[in-house]
Amino acid sequence: MIAILIDGEYVRKIYKNSGYKPDILKLIEKILKETETSPKDLLRVYYYTAPPYQSNPPTNEEKLRYDNWKKFINAIKTGRINIEIREGEVKKRGEEYEQKMVDVLMSIDLVYLSSNCRINKIAFVAGDEDYVPAIQRAKDNGVKIYLFYSEGNTGEKLQKEVDEKILIDERFKEETKKEETT
């Protein structure tokens, strides 16, 4: 049994660098193939994200961004795969925006799933080295960790800690990109 944990912002950034938008359902299917896992052995996909920042009152641009985000979330939830959305939040710091709580939510789920569920594999799509202690705990619990990562966007300590690494290279992105509609 496998659980898939996806940092949505990480995925968005690495695909954006190639000029693509990810197709989350294709990404999940590719992860299952790469981990040699049947869809029937998928416990659940956990997708970590944060709604776009909204000032009080929100601007028209912020409202539009939020509506587009909501459409995206609804689209991936209505697929044939069981996807649980875990939401952090976005804080404004001066002129910059920061996503908060996503790393903590992912770490908690990583440890919880590895200790309390009947899974033996976790596919982890993220790049932050803050996950290393949670990965170590999951491995201590007997779970094999597959890291799906992009070069230059993933910490070395994280790469060294996992059991298996699968590179999200240009070919991988091409196979899992959203098809443009006209």
Side-chain angles (χ1 to χ4, degrees):
M1 187 72 66
I2 190 171
I4 300 173
L5 284 68
I6 301 172
D7 181 336
E9 183 63 11
Y10 177 77
V11 170
R12 187 192 67 75
K13 283 180 182 177
I14 65 173
Y15 278 72
K16 184 178 181 181
N17 291 341
S18 298
Y20 302 134
K21 289 184 179 180
D23 182 317
I24 301 304
L25 298 177
K26 284 183 185 177
L27 176 63
I28 293 165
E29 289 170 357
K30 178 81 168 164
I31 290 169
L32 290 172
K33 181 179 175 187
E34 292 292 326
T35 59
E36 300 175 350
T37 305
S38 165
K40 68 179 177 48
D41 291 325
L42 174 63
L43 172 68
R44 186 169 293 109
V45 175
Y46 295 87
Y47 187 86
Y48 302 83
T49 184
Y53 177 79
Q54 301 282 288
S55 55
N56 189 8
T59 66
N60 287 337
E61 184 179 322
E62 290 170 345
K63 287 178 188 176
L64 179 61
R65 232 180 289 133
Y66 182 83
D67 289 345
N68 288 336
W69 177 82
K70 205 63 174 154
K71 286 177 191 172
F72 168 76
I73 294 301
N74 289 335
I76 64 173
K77 284 173 69 172
T78 59
R80 61 193 174 282
I81 297 171
N82 187 7
I83 299 177
E84 181 80 25
I85 305 298
R86 297 276 203 248
E87 288 184 28
E89 59 185 41
V90 173
K91 296 280 188 182
K92 187 173 183 180
R93 305 249 190 250
E95 294 302 311
E96 299 294 316
Y97 298 92
E98 286 183 3
Q99 185 173 273
K100 305 301 277 178
M101 292 194 304
V102 168
D103 292 359
V104 173
L105 291 169
M106 285 185 81
S107 294
I108 290 169
D109 285 345
L110 185 61
V111 172
Y112 178 81
L113 290 166
S114 69
S115 62
N116 293 317
C117 295
R118 293 179 305 267
I119 60 171
N120 57 1
K121 297 188 252 185
I122 291 178
F124 198 71
V125 187
D128 197 327
E129 290 183 339
D130 290 348
Y131 299 118
V132 168
I135 297 264
Q136 290 168 334
R137 179 61 53 170
K139 287 171 47 182
D140 290 346
N141 290 333
V143 174
K144 183 174 183 175
I145 306 294
Y146 294 83
L147 175 65
F148 288 79
Y149 74 104
S150 173
E151 277 189 31
N153 295 297
T154 305
E156 286 183 37
K157 288 181 184 176
L158 179 60
Q159 291 183 50
K160 288 178 181 175
E161 194 58 47
V162 299
D163 296 303
E164 216 168 298
K165 300 184 300 186
I166 295 99
L167 179 64
I168 301 176
D169 58 11
E170 289 306 310
R171 183 174 182 184
F172 189 108
K173 291 177 202 175
E174 179 72 32
E175 292 174 7
T176 58
K177 72 178 182 180
K178 187 178 265 321
E179 297 300 323
E180 297 298 320
T181 55
T182 55

